[in-house]
């Protein structure tokens, strides 16, 4: 079985992204630790999403997902885009795109109005070389087992970093072109399904502590 790995090539200044079966290939242009945000997210939704895909191999022992947030325009696909599909866990939830061939997550975002895409780090071989190591952990209150120290508290440093990056991406014209959305219509380029409340609820026992009522 072909492994779910891409690689970082400093000759081309691209980080290559591949799905597990190799049908889909993409790349992130000019990767650098200072131009991205990399965190471990323990939120209930990220856990539920990977359980829904049957990809719990991408979760750590506490249910964390290693996510690299990049500018929307930096990600593009060179092969297999016809196999991309999308999912929302609820009608107002983030968009989560993955491959129909091997259930590999490709990118998460709130909407095209917010110019960042979160990519699971295991999509890149040598992710540390391309993007640096994770700089923080978030939503630890939903972690499985013990809560990683400091992950359940507001991290002001991370918040300010995300705001700075999003502002620089927007002002720098890096919100478009978007790999998943059409600029003219604002609609998804790929089919998106939404879980029913019952389908979403069925995933909760597989994840960490139930979120507080919203």
């Amino acid at each position: 079985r072909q492994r779910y790995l891409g690689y970082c090539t400093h000759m081309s200044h691209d980080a290559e992204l591949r799905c597990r079966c190799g049908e889909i290939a993409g790349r992130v242009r000019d990767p650098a630790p200072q131009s991205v945000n990399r965190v471990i997210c323990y939120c209930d939704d990220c856990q539920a999403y990977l359980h829904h895909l049957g990809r719990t191999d991408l979760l750590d022992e506490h249910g964390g997902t290693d996510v690299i947030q990049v500018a929307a325009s930096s990600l593009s696909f060179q092969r297999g885009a016809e196999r991309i599909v999308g999912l929302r866990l609820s009608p107002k939830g983030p968009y989560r795109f993955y491959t129909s061939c091997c259930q590999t997550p490709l990118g998460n975002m709130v909407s095209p109005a917010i110019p960042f895409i979160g990519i699971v780090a295991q999509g890149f071989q040598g992710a540390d070389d391309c993007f640096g190591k994770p700089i923080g952990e978030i939503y630890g209150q939903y972690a499985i087992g013990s809560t990683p120290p400091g992950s359940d508290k507001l991290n002001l440093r991370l918040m300010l970093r995300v705001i700075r990056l999003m502002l620089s991406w927007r002002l720098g014209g890096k919100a478009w072109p978007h790999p998943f959305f059409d600029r003219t219509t604002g609609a998804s380029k790929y089919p998106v399904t939404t879980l029913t409340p019952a389908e979403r609820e069925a995933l909760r026992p597989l994840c960490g502590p139930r979120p507080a009522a919203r």
Side-chain angles (χ1 to χ4, degrees), residues 47-191:
Q47 293 182 54
Y49 173 54
L50 291 178
H51 277 285
H52 178 76
L53 294 186
R55 294 305 311 274
T56 56
D57 57 301
L58 300 175
L59 295 171
D60 69 17
E61 66 273 19
H62 296 292
T65 305
D66 189 346
V67 180
I68 299 169
Q69 297 170 335
V70 305
S73 67
S74 69
L75 174 63
S76 61
F77 293 95
Q78 289 71 53
R79 185 178 71 245
E82 69 278 3
R83 297 183 182 275
I84 296 175
V85 291
L87 179 75
R88 303 180 86 179
L89 299 183
S90 66
K92 295 184 179 180
Y95 292 86
R96 299 172 183 271
F97 291 92
Y98 64 99
T99 69
S100 61
C101 48
C102 59
Q103 309 294 101
T104 294
L106 295 174
N108 304 337
M109 73 288 310
V110 177
S111 78
I114 301 177
F116 80 82
I117 296 172
I119 305 172
V120 176
Q122 288 94 323
F124 306 96
Q125 184 180 21
D128 291 355
D129 294 332
C130 295
F131 305 102
K133 293 183 180 296
I135 60 173
E137 299 173 306
I138 57 176
Y139 296 114
Q141 61 268 38
Y142 304 131
I144 295 171
S146 59
T147 300
S151 62
D152 58 343
K153 296 178 170 47
L154 176 66
N155 190 320
L156 184 59
R157 180 175 64 89
L158 276 181
M159 181 180 294
L160 292 174
R161 179 184 175 90
V162 170
I163 292 172
R164 176 182 62 79
L165 283 171
M166 287 196 297
L167 284 174
S168 69
W169 293 338
R170 182 172 293 282
L171 295 175
K174 294 184 177 180
W176 300 98
H178 200 290
F180 301 113
F181 287 89
D182 181 85
R183 186 171 191 174
T184 302
T185 65
S188 171
K189 297 177 182 178
Y190 307 103

Side-chain angles (χ1 to χ4, degrees), residues 1-62:
R1 184 178 69 176
Q2 186 166 348
R3 293 186 299 169
Y4 166 34
L5 291 175
Y7 59 91
C8 183
T9 166
H10 296 289
M11 290 183 65
S12 65
H13 301 289
D14 290 341
E16 297 200 9
L17 174 68
R18 301 199 181 221
C19 70
R20 179 168 58 176
C21 71
E23 289 293 318
I24 294 180
R27 63 168 54 98
V28 171
R29 293 191 308 276
D30 299 320
Q34 65 270 21
S35 65
V36 304
N37 191 51
R38 184 177 179 184
V39 299
I40 307 297
C41 180
Y42 299 99
C43 81
D44 178 77
D45 279 353
C46 283
Q47 293 182 54
Y49 173 54
L50 291 178
H51 277 285
H52 178 76
L53 294 186
R55 294 305 311 274
T56 56
D57 57 301
L58 300 175
L59 295 171
D60 69 17
E61 66 273 19
H62 296 292

